[in-house]
Amino acid sequence: MSVIVPFRAIRPQKRFVEEVASYPYDIVSLKEARRTVKGNPRSFLHVVRSEVDLPSGVDAHDDMVYKTAKENLDRLLNEGILFQESQPCFYIYRQKAGEHEQYGIVVGVSIYEYESGHIKKHELTMANKKADRTKHIDVVNAHTGPVLLIYKAGDSIDRMVEKIINARPDCDFIADDGISHTVWVVDDKKDIEELKDEFLKVDSLYIADGHHRVASAAAVAGIRRGKNPNHKGDEEYNNMMVVLFPHNQLKIMDYNRVIKDLNGLNEKEFLSKVGEKFLVVDNFGGRPPGRLHEFGMYLGGRWYKLKAKEGSYDKNDIVGTLDVSILQDNLLKPVLGIDDPGSDGRIDFIGGTAGMEKLEELVKSGEFVVAFSLYPSSVTQMMDIADAGKVMPPKSTWFEPKLRSGLFVHLLE
């Protein structure tokens, strides 16, 4: 049973929506964010990356960062760039990239469902990132970026969404990356109740993107419960803002790796060690692998194809059979000495949208020595691991297209 609730979202006025909508805080560097907001005081990056309005050198976790984010949200509201709905609503949020379309339902879900394990996770969170988001949510008094959740697709919910999108959308625009974003407001009480009833039939929800935001939302809810002597359980801080997508509409892209050195080995020694657990094929023209358990490797100006040898991984291990695990366990850790890819400064991660050219560019620049392209994990693999109560290795999934920030904001009170 999945309980969803409508909420009074803060949203951009129609005429400002393109200027407001921004990338999420965690996929743009400060340099990129400063460039993006130049000449655009309405960009929501002023809220989710408020460092853009502070002098260079200010620590990303300085109190001024969070204070400025709160001030910027208030400014956008006071200037009429943003407004708050007069009544609780649901929303349909469509994203279209080329021929791919996905339809999400923007709702509130209870923090209690996450704390009870009903909303399932597939990765661990890092303490510093959780602390940052916790403070941001608490000081700004809002969830400023939606969490991406998945539910197992069902015909009845699909039909309801199809009916709602037959109406004229509230806003529709194409962002600078060519991805279109369309929003329908669901304010009809009958539609709201029918959607709520249908999700009561959904057994579980799965976090796809936003583990730190969920953990932080739960932390803030805990703080506020402790401070509220009249806590009842129905306060807004007990809910978080999510976008629910059916599992068969989302796609996971490859999440590739680049490494700064060969751990003291020369190329010949390195290739020899790689060959202990992988079949190595020179002059790999494909670059991205075409199937599971195969990898592309760019080294010394040429591409190689790596194929995991039989017996190099446990076929019965639901996590160990992931390609990110095979690469980590058989190459990155034993050969390159990268024990913890989540914290080791010698490794970086490149989302699939950047393409193979980006991997080549980084190696040719001299900043990195070798790059690996991976076959993407599947949504089914991700859900199976979450159902088993296990977690995927760091940087296992890259979802595209990314949800834009600023289209929906959820106030905690």
Side-chain angles (χ1 to χ4, degrees), residues 247-258:
H247 80 279
N248 57 2
Q249 289 185 15
L250 288 186
K251 61 178 182 178
I252 299 176
M253 298 191 71
D254 46 308
Y255 211 168
N256 304 311
R257 276 87 167 121
V258 286

Side-chain angles (χ1 to χ4, degrees), residues 3 23 68 98 110 126 133 152 167 174 222 241 249 258 269 277 299 314 338 392 404:
V3 179
Y23 283 114
T68 302
S110 172
M126 298 173 65
R133 284 302 96 187
K152 291 179 181 177
I174 298 176
M241 176 177 65
Q249 289 185 15
V258 286
E269 292 169 334
K277 294 292 181 71
L299 173 72
D314 183 356
I338 297 174
M392 302 175 83
R404 287 276 166 150

Side-chain angles (χ1 to χ4, degrees), residues 173-353:
F173 69 98
I174 298 176
D176 53 7
D177 56 4
I179 296 172
S180 72
H181 303 263
T182 311
V183 174
W184 289 264
V185 179
V186 184
D187 54 7
D188 182 86
K189 291 184 178 179
K190 181 181 178 182
D191 289 339
I192 289 173
E193 290 305 314
E194 287 181 356
L195 279 171
K196 289 169 66 175
D197 289 343
E198 286 301 325
F199 272 95
L200 291 176
K201 304 172 188 175
V202 174
D203 291 334
S204 298
L205 303 175
Y206 302 82
I207 304 172
D209 196 5
H211 283 78
H212 288 94
R213 274 165 280 167
V214 176
S216 299
V220 172
I223 292 169
R224 302 220 171 178
R225 291 170 196 162
K227 291 181 177 179
N228 183 2
N230 300 312
H231 171 79
K232 297 178 181 178
D234 59 355
E235 295 87 354
E236 279 299 319
Y237 58 71
N238 293 297
N239 298 323
M240 60 183 170
M241 176 177 65
V242 306
V243 186
L244 298 166
F245 284 97
H247 80 279
N248 57 2
Q249 289 185 15
L250 288 186
K251 61 178 182 178
I252 299 176
M253 298 191 71
D254 46 308
Y255 211 168
N256 304 311
R257 276 87 167 121
V258 286
I259 317 296
K260 291 186 175 181
D261 60 69
L262 297 182
N263 198 27
L265 303 171
N266 60 40
E267 286 190 14
K268 184 177 180 181
E269 292 169 334
F270 173 68
L271 285 169
S272 176
K273 286 187 173 293
V274 171
E276 294 175 7
K277 294 292 181 71
F278 298 87
L279 297 173
V280 182
V281 179
D282 198 353
N283 295 319
F284 177 42
R287 300 190 296 177
R291 57 178 62 89
L292 286 171
H293 309 334
E294 291 186 359
F295 308 82
M297 181 175 73
Y298 187 67
L299 173 72
R302 58 202 305 162
W303 280 93
Y304 298 84
K305 179 170 75 172
L306 311 181
K307 183 176 180 180
K309 291 182 178 180
E310 287 290 325
S312 64
Y313 58 93
D314 183 356
K315 293 182 179 180
N316 297 314
D317 184 343
I318 193 172
V319 176
T321 54
L322 293 172
D323 281 359
V324 289
S325 297
I326 292 172
L327 185 68
Q328 174 63 28
D329 296 342
N330 292 328
L331 199 162
L332 298 185
K333 181 176 180 177
V335 179
L336 293 176
I338 297 174
D339 294 329
D340 182 5
S343 62
D344 196 312
R346 297 166 54 224
I347 185 171
D348 203 355
F349 306 89
I350 310 299
T353 50

